Amino acid sequence: MKRSIHHFYYSYKARAIALWLSALIVFAISTCVRAHDIRDDDLKAVYLFRFAMLVDWKTSHGMSSQYHFCVDADNGVSKKLEEIALSKPQAVFHQIRNEQIPTPGCHIVYTTTNEADQVSALKASFPNALLVGEGRRFTRAGGMMAFVRMNNRIKPLISRNNLAGAPFSLRSQLLSIAVIEGEDKA
């Protein structure tokens, strides 16, 4: 009898450990998948917020103490950027997609479009803004900066050609973390 209790105890313990380990693995996998999705949007939103401070705006926006962040879409990045802007006194968030009232001087315009005519329209509407989008198609369509995935990381891609003539300049700190179009090292 003592032997069967001993066997039952170890059998129960082994099953409990196996169940615990499998639950831990399932939890780890689901957390990693969920964290991966959230991390990209969070990172892009933080990049957008930091871009405003890594640009020398010269006289294009005067001596304003606030940065205006404008988006034309309702997506994960824009929602995260709005959360950041609402928590920072130096940031103002604008949704420009459906606004009838002209948006005051945007510093950063984030768009999800890759169409050349729409990118040109945004450049014309916001001539003093840094126009940021997604992927190489965006910079080929005339966008100034885009988010790209390189070596499994989100990086800013800068098109110097599309920045030519902009009334602002990018600081060296931004240039050091970005990929310059035509100078890919990945």
Side-chain angles (χ1 to χ4, degrees), residues 24-69:
L24 183 63
I25 290 169
V26 168
F27 175 75
I29 290 170
S30 66
T31 302
C32 289
V33 169
R34 199 172 337 128
H36 176 72
D37 292 342
I38 294 170
R39 191 175 25 220
D40 286 354
D41 288 350
D42 287 342
L43 181 61
K44 289 175 184 179
V46 170
Y47 266 137
L48 288 167
F49 180 75
R50 294 289 178 216
F51 287 165
M53 288 149 244
L54 296 173
V55 172
D56 181 6
W57 295 105
K58 299 178 183 170
T59 59
S60 65
H61 287 283
M63 297 303 290
S64 174
S65 62
Q66 291 185 315
Y67 294 109
H68 292 261
F69 299 90

Side-chain angles (χ1 to χ4, degrees), residues 1-3 6 11 15 17 20 42 47 63 70 85 87 90 98 101 106 114 119 125 131 140 145 148 150 184:
M1 172 113 166
K2 189 174 187 182
R3 188 173 191 134
H6 186 55
S11 172
R15 278 186 266 154
I17 290 173
W20 183 81
D42 287 342
Y47 266 137
M63 297 303 290
C70 302
S87 69
Q90 73 270 29
N98 295 323
I101 302 167
C106 296
N114 288 326
V119 172
S125 296
L131 192 56
R140 280 185 247 142
M145 188 181 303
V148 294
M150 300 190 77
D184 299 353

Side-chain angles (χ1 to χ4, degrees), residues 122-130 144 165-168:
L122 284 170
K123 277 178 132 175
S125 296
F126 304 99
N128 296 328
L130 176 63
M144 298 172 177
F168 54 82

